[in-house]
Amino acid sequence: MPAAAPATDPSADPAADQVPASPAALADLLDAAGYLADPGLATACFLALRMGRPLFLEGEAGVGKTELAKTLARVLGAPLIRLQCHEGLDASRALYDWDFPRQLLHLRAAEAAGERDVARLEGELYDRRFLLARPLLRALETSPSVLLVDEVDRADDEFEAFLLEVLSDFTITVPELGTIRAERPPAVVVTSNRTREVHDALKRRCLYHWLDHPTFDREVAVIRRRLPAATERLAGRVARAAQRLREADLLKPPGVAESLDWTEALLALGARDLDPDTAALTLGAVLKYREDQRRVVADGLAALLDGG
């Protein structure tokens, strides 16, 4: 998905023969796979596929950024390759590494067999069979594929610069083997929870979309789509409570993921409605900080559920 590749060049498209004909068609496919995308998100995703550009999704945790990549992989019939970013992530963990234990075993076996050709042994040690492909290299070697670079804001600036280089031309140079180029660039989804600002240079390589919390009606639809056993009333009560919790001054407001967890917990208990007593027993499914739970209980669960 190089930024310089023309949109009309089929070779620049990660899955030119699989991209739906329109944003609406893509939204329908995502819907059929269990993901409800609004027109803005469906359009951004469609354009990223059609133009061969990474899609940069930013938003609060739990709004469905990672789930979109998973569903997109199912829609395209391509494997999902996930790179989970974290502090201290470096190229050897994201790109490739050499399998030193296997290299050592090979060296000992060769010596036991009486091999004395040092140059030949050295060449064999850096054969492709001893190369451990990490997510970025696997994505380049797998065609088609969907590459998810998850929570890039958690990685260091140095890794962000390295990622920018890889996403620019989708080639990787292994000094011992040469240059490895993607036969067909993967579809790329980059996510950020905005714990820090991501550099403009990386964003310029991508199409950007801010993924917000859903409206009440959409959240009810998402809950019922993912958890068909939930009644309209139960889904509505959970969605209404989640919407109100997001308006409160909490350390970690719930996302759609927490709404789904809460509904699933209620269903596991056989609940057909959400009342203050049941809410108190299941708060751990929706609020993951003790301070948030104490504050909500102190404010009154009845008020939270009133009119839901």
Side-chain angles (χ1 to χ4, degrees), residues 193-273:
N193 293 337
R194 208 171 189 180
T195 58
R196 70 169 177 85
E197 287 296 330
V198 175
H199 292 179
D200 289 342
L202 180 58
K203 286 186 175 181
R204 281 199 300 270
R205 293 292 189 278
C206 309
L207 296 184
Y208 176 88
H209 185 79
W210 174 265
L211 199 56
D212 210 344
H213 291 294
T215 63
F216 170 76
D217 289 339
R218 182 168 291 275
E219 188 157 9
V220 171
V222 169
I223 292 172
R224 299 208 68 198
R225 179 61 53 84
R226 294 292 299 275
L227 299 169
T231 63
E232 182 80 23
R233 176 170 178 78
L234 180 60
R237 296 277 280 180
V238 170
R240 181 69 68 195
Q243 299 264 328
R244 288 172 176 170
L245 287 172
R246 290 175 197 136
E247 296 170 357
D249 186 20
L250 301 179
L251 293 174
K252 174 60 177 68
V256 180
E258 283 73 33
S259 295
L260 291 169
D261 286 346
W262 202 6
T263 307
E264 188 173 3
L266 293 167
L267 290 173
L269 293 175
R272 300 179 61 84
D273 199 352

Side-chain angles (χ1 to χ4, degrees), residues 28-272:
D28 289 342
L29 290 173
L30 292 171
D31 188 352
Y35 190 98
L36 294 177
D38 61 34
L41 178 58
T43 299
C45 191
F46 169 81
L47 291 175
L49 293 174
R50 181 63 69 190
M51 297 168 63
R53 301 280 290 278
L55 176 61
F56 191 101
L57 292 178
E58 203 165 41
E60 300 292 336
V63 295
K65 303 184 295 296
T66 299
E67 192 62 31
L68 174 67
K70 294 179 179 178
T71 310
L72 183 63
R74 293 198 295 271
V75 165
L76 296 179
L80 176 73
I81 300 174
R82 180 175 181 172
L83 173 61
Q84 181 63 53
C85 298
H86 55 81
E87 186 178 353
L89 179 65
D90 57 20
S92 66
R93 299 181 190 178
L95 192 52
Y96 71 87
D97 204 354
W98 290 103
D99 192 340
F100 294 116
R102 287 190 62 203
Q103 287 175 317
L104 184 58
L105 287 174
H106 177 75
L107 182 61
R108 289 176 175 173
E111 290 176 343
E115 178 64 58
R116 294 292 182 266
D117 188 337
V118 176
R120 178 181 174 182
L121 263 179
E122 186 175 318
E124 289 178 349
L125 286 177
Y126 292 99
D127 187 79
R128 180 63 180 83
R129 58 185 162 148
F130 296 121
L131 190 70
L132 296 174
R134 304 303 189 193
L136 292 180
L137 180 55
R138 289 208 314 273
L140 265 61
E141 293 185 319
T142 305
S143 179
S145 65
V146 174
L147 171 62
L148 168 62
V149 182
D150 213 8
E151 298 183 329
V152 69
D153 53 317
R154 296 187 181 276
D156 302 324
D157 290 351
E158 293 77 7
F159 177 77
E160 191 179 317
F162 162 75
L163 180 65
L164 176 64
E165 182 179 351
V166 174
L167 296 183
S168 293
D169 54 13
F170 288 96
T171 61
I172 291 173
T173 299
V174 181
E176 298 85 356
L177 297 178
T179 299
I180 299 174
R181 185 182 304 274
E183 177 183 339
R184 172 184 286 180
V188 181
V189 177
V190 182
T191 76
S192 168
N193 293 337
R194 208 171 189 180
T195 58
R196 70 169 177 85
E197 287 296 330
V198 175
H199 292 179
D200 289 342
L202 180 58
K203 286 186 175 181
R204 281 199 300 270
R205 293 292 189 278
C206 309
L207 296 184
Y208 176 88
H209 185 79
W210 174 265
L211 199 56
D212 210 344
H213 291 294
T215 63
F216 170 76
D217 289 339
R218 182 168 291 275
E219 188 157 9
V220 171
V222 169
I223 292 172
R224 299 208 68 198
R225 179 61 53 84
R226 294 292 299 275
L227 299 169
T231 63
E232 182 80 23
R233 176 170 178 78
L234 180 60
R237 296 277 280 180
V238 170
R240 181 69 68 195
Q243 299 264 328
R244 288 172 176 170
L245 287 172
R246 290 175 197 136
E247 296 170 357
D249 186 20
L250 301 179
L251 293 174
K252 174 60 177 68
V256 180
E258 283 73 33
S259 295
L260 291 169
D261 286 346
W262 202 6
T263 307
E264 188 173 3
L266 293 167
L267 290 173
L269 293 175
R272 300 179 61 84

Side-chain angles (χ1 to χ4, degrees), residues 258-297:
E258 283 73 33
S259 295
L260 291 169
D261 286 346
W262 202 6
T263 307
E264 188 173 3
L266 293 167
L267 290 173
L269 293 175
R272 300 179 61 84
D273 199 352
L274 181 59
D275 55 54
D277 291 338
T278 308
L281 293 172
T282 56
L283 270 184
V286 67
L287 297 178
K288 308 303 172 70
Y289 284 87
R290 180 170 178 265
E291 295 86 346
D292 287 344
Q293 292 186 11
R294 293 180 67 178
R295 175 169 185 171
V296 169
V297 171

